[in-house]
Amino acid sequence: MQKLSIHGGVPLSGEVRVAGAKNAALPILTASLLTAEPLRLWNVPELNDVHTMVALLKRMGVAANVSPGAVELEAKTVEPYAPYDLVKTMRASILTLGPLVARFGDAKVSLPGGCAIGERPVDLHIKGLEAMGATVAIEEGNIHATAKKLKGARIYMDTVTVTGTENLMMAACLAEGETVLENSAREPEVVDLAHCLLAMGAKITGHGTDVIRIVGVPALHGATHAIMADRIEAGTFLAAAAATRGNITLTSAPVASLDPVFDKLREAGAKVEVNGTSVHLQMGRRPYAVGIRTSPHPGFPTDMQAQFLAMNTVADGTSVVTETIFENRFMHVQELRRLGARIDIEGNTAIVRGNDRLTGTTVMATDLRASASLVIAGLMAEGETIVDRIYHLDRGYERLETRLGALGARIKRIA
């Protein structure tokens, strides 16, 4: 099993380009199921989750041509079944459900897996499809949905759900009549999916707001689309630079979606300057402790909570970090404590008392963003930190050790 070896204490310095967004690429890859014509995608990140999604689509019969940063998909003949052996590793596999039942009238998708960060039920996906006229049953661990033809409907989601919004938006593209999604997710990745669907001939308005309207069309056609840059990867590099008192520039950054991150970095004492799609961060001192409360977009993203919590472990002062999205998203805390972090947990809140320093040791990653927090901690710690189980990291960060190394980090992958 591969690990990362990190010798900390070096401020990050230099320039790095932000890769394509995992959380945009995965639903857009499944949008290929909505048409028999080719869907050509650019700026596709080279990640384990992307490879798994492409493998899943190929298992269904989708023709896939993959090259560095690009994927071309053609779903002429499809077997509408997503099996457990691939679905179990990635919750985003549920995003095949809506496109399959919309186009083929029949879909069987194994109940999904993914990071163990909390309960993420698919009931809103199922209720939405049932509102559109589908019959849905759970059979031997599979969600089996059938519909002669989906019908437009008004669907109110009592909890904001990103994948639920994406699944139902895709399904509605081929439904008869108008579908209205109320209390829909406003995340930039939902907007990027809408832009791809619009390029394929869909009729969608309201994306980026909490009410999305979709008028169904008889068929979608092929298109070419560039995946948006990854706001979570960008935020991770910025948090790492701030934590190590570094000086870095991000290029091709999704600056319009990073305001919550910029605000907290400036509160921590960083100098952040934005010029077009470039972001320059300079941190000349120990960070100030910053309070965090996660919430759906446009609030502070849950996927950045662990990275900022890691920065707070060496901050000047005491911070309060409240997680409102996932109930198990403090599993990195016990590993950070092994490095000397002073963190107390009270329910869904972490109280972090900043230390002057951390000390390297061996830690174990428990999920994707927890992995990133441990890497940031290792970059700050004295001595060597070994991060185990980095297959979590490879699900969402493209060649992270190579790119951090180009910024001066003493980091390498070991067996």
Side-chain angles (χ1 to χ4, degrees):
M1 185 177 294
Q2 293 187 324
K3 308 175 184 181
L4 288 181
S5 168
I6 306 169
H7 289 267
V10 178
L12 297 185
S13 178
E15 182 177 293
V16 62
R17 180 184 179 276
V18 182
K22 174 184 88 84
N23 289 340
L26 297 179
I28 289 171
L29 287 167
T30 67
S32 65
L33 296 167
L34 290 166
T35 178
E37 297 182 13
L39 178 62
R40 299 177 178 89
L41 303 175
W42 303 98
N43 200 38
V44 180
E46 296 182 39
L47 304 169
N48 283 357
D49 272 11
V50 170
H51 299 156
T52 299
M53 184 63 82
V54 171
L56 175 59
L57 294 171
K58 289 172 70 175
R59 178 81 68 88
M60 292 180 177
V62 178
N65 183 12
V66 180
S67 56
V71 177
E72 180 177 327
L73 300 164
E74 190 171 8
K76 283 185 177 179
T77 305
V78 174
E79 172 65 30
Y81 174 52
Y84 178 69
D85 62 322
L86 288 171
V87 170
K88 68 181 179 181
T89 64
M90 185 180 62
R91 184 178 183 274
S93 306
I94 190 66
L95 289 164
T96 60
L97 183 66
L100 287 173
V101 71
R103 181 173 165 208
F104 300 102
D106 191 0
K108 185 181 289 186
V109 178
S110 181
L111 286 165
C115 282
I117 57 175
E119 186 67 23
R120 295 187 285 181
V122 296
D123 60 318
L124 295 178
H125 304 240
I126 293 172
K127 289 176 182 177
L129 290 173
E130 288 176 335
M132 298 168 73
T135 299
V136 185
I138 306 297
E139 303 171 350
E140 299 178 338
N142 298 309
I143 305 170
H144 188 193
T146 57
K148 186 175 181 180
K149 183 69 176 178
L150 293 179
K151 308 288 185 181
R154 174 186 171 273
I155 301 170
Y156 174 78
M157 292 171 279
D158 56 11
T159 302
V160 176
T161 163
V162 174
T163 53
T165 298
E166 292 167 338
N167 225 345
L168 298 176
M169 183 166 64
M170 287 190 283
C173 287
L174 297 179
E176 289 183 356
E178 182 182 56
T179 299
V180 180
L181 303 179
E182 297 187 357
N183 198 31
S184 59
R186 301 161 60 184
E187 269 68 8
E189 295 79 12
V190 174
V191 176
D192 201 35
L193 172 61
H195 288 162
C196 179
L197 295 170
L198 288 165
M200 296 169 68
K203 296 181 178 179
I204 304 171
T205 58
H207 41 291
T209 77
D210 59 359
V211 179
I212 301 176
R213 297 179 183 273
I214 308 102
V215 177
V217 297
L220 296 180
H221 53 70
T224 299
H225 179 77
I227 304 296
M228 69 172 286
D230 195 324
R231 63 192 173 107
I232 305 304
E233 179 184 277
T236 300
F237 277 116
L238 293 171
T244 60
R245 309 186 195 184
N247 187 344
I248 71 166
T249 298
L250 302 184
T251 61
S252 301
V255 296
S257 62
L258 285 169
D259 283 341
V261 173
F262 292 157
D263 287 346
K264 288 300 175 181
L265 288 169
R266 291 181 175 122
E267 187 179 329
K271 182 180 179 181
V272 180
E273 297 177 343
V274 177
N275 183 11
T277 60
S278 294
V279 180
H280 180 246
L281 178 141
Q282 184 175 6
M283 175 67 97
R285 54 153 291 134
R286 181 184 179 190
Y288 295 113
V290 292
I292 299 293
R293 184 179 181 85
T294 64
S295 61
H297 190 79
F300 191 89
T302 180
D303 280 354
M304 283 301 306
Q305 174 259 107
Q307 298 90 313
F308 269 75
L309 192 149
M311 184 184 73
N312 277 334
T313 63
V314 297
D316 182 2
T318 298
S319 59
V320 176
V321 178
T322 302
E323 173 60 56
T324 71
I325 309 298
F326 296 120
E327 68 273 16
N328 290 344
R329 207 153 203 182
F330 283 137
M331 291 191 292
H332 47 289
V333 165
Q334 62 184 358
E335 299 301 305
L336 290 171
R337 286 172 178 156
R338 288 176 50 77
L339 294 161
R342 297 185 298 169
I343 309 169
D344 294 317
I345 300 294
E346 296 180 4
N348 67 336
T349 298
I351 300 162
V352 188
R353 298 190 302 279
N355 259 342
D356 289 335
R357 64 188 179 93
L358 301 179
T359 303
T361 188
T362 299
V363 292
M364 182 178 67
T366 53
D367 61 74
L368 170 54
R369 306 306 172 185
S371 304
S373 77
L374 297 178
V375 170
I376 292 173
L379 293 173
M380 299 184 293
E382 294 181 359
E384 184 183 26
T385 299
I386 301 293
V387 182
D388 204 350
R389 294 176 64 180
I390 60 169
Y391 58 84
H392 289 293
L393 195 74
D394 293 334
R395 290 184 50 226
Y397 292 96
E398 183 178 305
R399 299 178 293 106
L400 184 61
E401 74 279 6
T402 301
R403 295 158 77 204
L404 284 172
L407 297 175
R410 295 178 294 183
I411 180 173
K412 62 182 180 180
R413 186 176 293 245
I414 60 175

